[in-house]
Amino acid sequence: MLDNYEKFKKDVYVLTKIDLNCYKEKQMRRRIDTLINKNGISSYDAYVDLIKKDKEKFEQFVNFLTINVSEFYRNPEQWKILEGEVFPKLIKTYGKNLKVWSAACSTGDEPYSLVMALSRQIPLANIKVIATDIDKQVLDKARMGLYNEKSIANVPKDLKDKYFKKIGTSYQISDEIKRRVEFKEHNLLKDPYPTGCNLIVCRNVVIYFTEEAKDEIYKKFNQCMTKGGVLFIGSTEQIMNYKELGFVRDKSFFFEKE
């Protein structure tokens, strides 16, 4: 029923600048076909026509395409390593004004977690996190800073009490934390990367990309980091060829630039 996927990929790139060639095709095509069928459409061309005309359907497509699963302090044991070992080492090396990038930040859970975690060791005024994502909708939600109880379940109690206000059944993060994060649209596959990063956090995202695209992203991460800077990846990810890419494996899920 759905055919000419190659043309569809080209059409999508023109509309969104998302290169579907860099994603694992079988997995991504299955997701896209499911969405198209839900909209009662039987061809890729007809779906492209729809998202060209209908802004809401276009945003639904981009949101569906960019898998947004996030929560504060995801995998808490890894955050203990970040706070107890990685942060002190980076602060000792680079001082209090660290350049931190949360790449593919989704709804903001991760960059806000970074600010709160760093606030235990550095004054808030010294903290700045660059947070980027390809999806404008999730960035809007991130800037709003409103989360459900499940999203903040792993936040340490002292930080939850200090930086969240309950509004109905939701939780609003404080403006003093929000002010420390700069949100920007960014496509990991095509846009220029920030430079001089001391810490890059990119977790559970590149698993959706091809091996070639992964290597390219990790190379670019390495190039935009300072010597001794750290890359923090997700628990679903591995970098088997980290030495070839210019990294030293520090601990599980933490890689240091040589």
Side-chain angles (χ1 to χ4, degrees), residues 4-64:
N4 206 354
Y5 189 65
E6 291 303 312
K7 179 178 181 295
F8 177 73
K9 287 190 288 187
K10 291 175 185 175
D11 290 339
V12 167
Y13 185 76
V14 170
L15 286 172
T16 69
K17 296 298 181 274
I18 296 172
D19 187 356
L20 293 176
N21 288 309
C22 295
Y23 291 79
K24 294 175 183 174
E25 182 161 318
K26 187 177 178 182
Q27 185 182 38
M28 185 55 77
R29 186 169 180 175
R30 187 173 62 245
R31 284 175 52 79
I32 291 168
D33 289 355
T34 299
L35 177 63
I36 290 174
N37 288 326
K38 279 184 180 176
N39 279 279
I41 291 170
S42 58
S43 76
Y44 290 124
D45 285 345
Y47 187 67
V48 169
D49 288 341
L50 174 68
I51 61 177
K52 278 181 180 176
K53 298 171 187 171
D54 190 322
K55 184 183 177 184
E56 190 176 318
K57 292 295 183 183
F58 175 81
E59 290 179 352
Q60 179 196 53
F61 174 61
V62 174
N63 194 39
F64 190 82

Side-chain angles (χ1 to χ4, degrees), residues 171-225:
Y171 292 82
Q172 176 76 58
I173 197 160
S174 73
D175 286 343
E176 56 186 324
I177 297 296
K178 286 166 76 172
R179 280 194 291 268
R180 309 325 305 168
V181 181
E182 182 183 2
F183 290 103
K184 298 178 180 179
E185 282 186 68
H186 183 268
N187 184 335
L188 283 170
L189 297 170
K190 73 178 246 325
D191 291 334
Y193 284 27
T195 56
C197 297
N198 307 127
L199 173 66
I200 298 175
V201 183
C202 185
R203 309 178 70 220
N204 308 305
V205 175
V206 300
I207 51 168
Y208 301 105
F209 296 133
T210 63
E211 292 305 314
E212 294 77 15
K214 284 181 193 177
D215 282 356
E216 187 62 26
I217 288 169
Y218 288 137
K219 279 179 191 172
K220 287 181 179 178
F221 280 155
N222 186 276
Q223 290 164 4
C224 76
M225 291 167 69

Side-chain angles (χ1 to χ4, degrees), residues 63-77:
N63 194 39
F64 190 82
L65 207 58
T66 54
I67 300 100
N68 296 304
V69 179
S70 191
E71 61 189 42
F72 284 78
Y73 282 79
R74 190 174 183 180
N75 309 116
E77 292 306 312

